[in-house]
Amino acid sequence: MELSTTTCDVAISACGKCGVWEQALQLFRVMATSNVKINTITFGAAISSCEKSGEWEQALHLFSTIAQSEIQANTITFNATLSTCEKAGVWEVALQLLCKMLQSSTKPDTITFNATLSACERGGQWERALQVVRMMVQSIVETDTISANAAISVC
């Protein structure tokens, strides 16, 4: 069977859902060495596989390799990485990613800010959380129940 981007993307996603992030990353590496086209969906699936297993450092490493490729990070890859930071409680990294996103041409959404808020909440960083809420308002991104609960919980 010949490997295709779509087939590999689905397999990487399935690995993530089954909690076998190592196999997801192995398939990702096979794609790179087999000249199978890697795209933002591939990166998002691989990062999400790491996120589902709590492998935030692996997810960050994958995210950093996007810049070395011809692919541009998009809202999905940023959000997948931010979600990993949220679950790991690494609020400093989440804030760095949010700032990087705001400086890029990638537009943040409610998920972006909610993940960052939740990371600040887990880290007990109420002042930082309030800064994130201000950024959210300045970016004209709609808040939701999750945003409000995270902002309230951190205080």
Side-chain angles (χ1 to χ4, degrees), residues 1-2 22 43 49 61 65 92 100 116 128 141:
M1 178 172 93
E2 189 173 318
E22 298 99 335
F43 271 105
S49 292
H61 175 72
T65 62
E92 304 98 327
K100 183 175 183 169
T116 309
R128 304 284 187 193
V141 172

Side-chain angles (χ1 to χ4, degrees), residues 35-106:
N35 294 322
V36 177
K37 185 177 166 87
I38 294 174
N39 57 27
T40 54
I41 295 168
T42 311
F43 271 105
I47 291 168
S48 290
S49 292
C50 294
E51 178 249 328
K52 287 176 177 60
S53 297
E55 296 293 329
W56 68 272
E57 291 159 319
Q58 290 291 332
L60 281 177
H61 175 72
L62 270 173
F63 184 81
S64 70
T65 62
I66 294 173
Q68 300 164 3
S69 70
E70 299 172 4
I71 298 166
Q72 176 116 7
N74 64 10
T75 305
I76 294 168
T77 54
F78 268 103
N79 286 351
T81 309
L82 280 165
S83 180
T84 303
C85 294
E86 168 199 353
K87 288 185 172 78
V90 288
W91 61 270
E92 304 98 327
V93 179
L95 286 173
Q96 290 170 359
L97 277 170
L98 176 61
C99 290
K100 183 175 183 169
M101 187 177 194
L102 292 171
Q103 293 168 355
S104 75
S105 61
T106 307

Side-chain angles (χ1 to χ4, degrees), residues 111-129:
I111 295 167
T112 306
F113 286 104
N114 286 350
T116 309
L117 275 170
S118 293
C120 291
E121 175 192 3
R122 285 180 181 242
Q125 299 295 314
W126 67 269
E127 291 170 322
R128 304 284 187 193

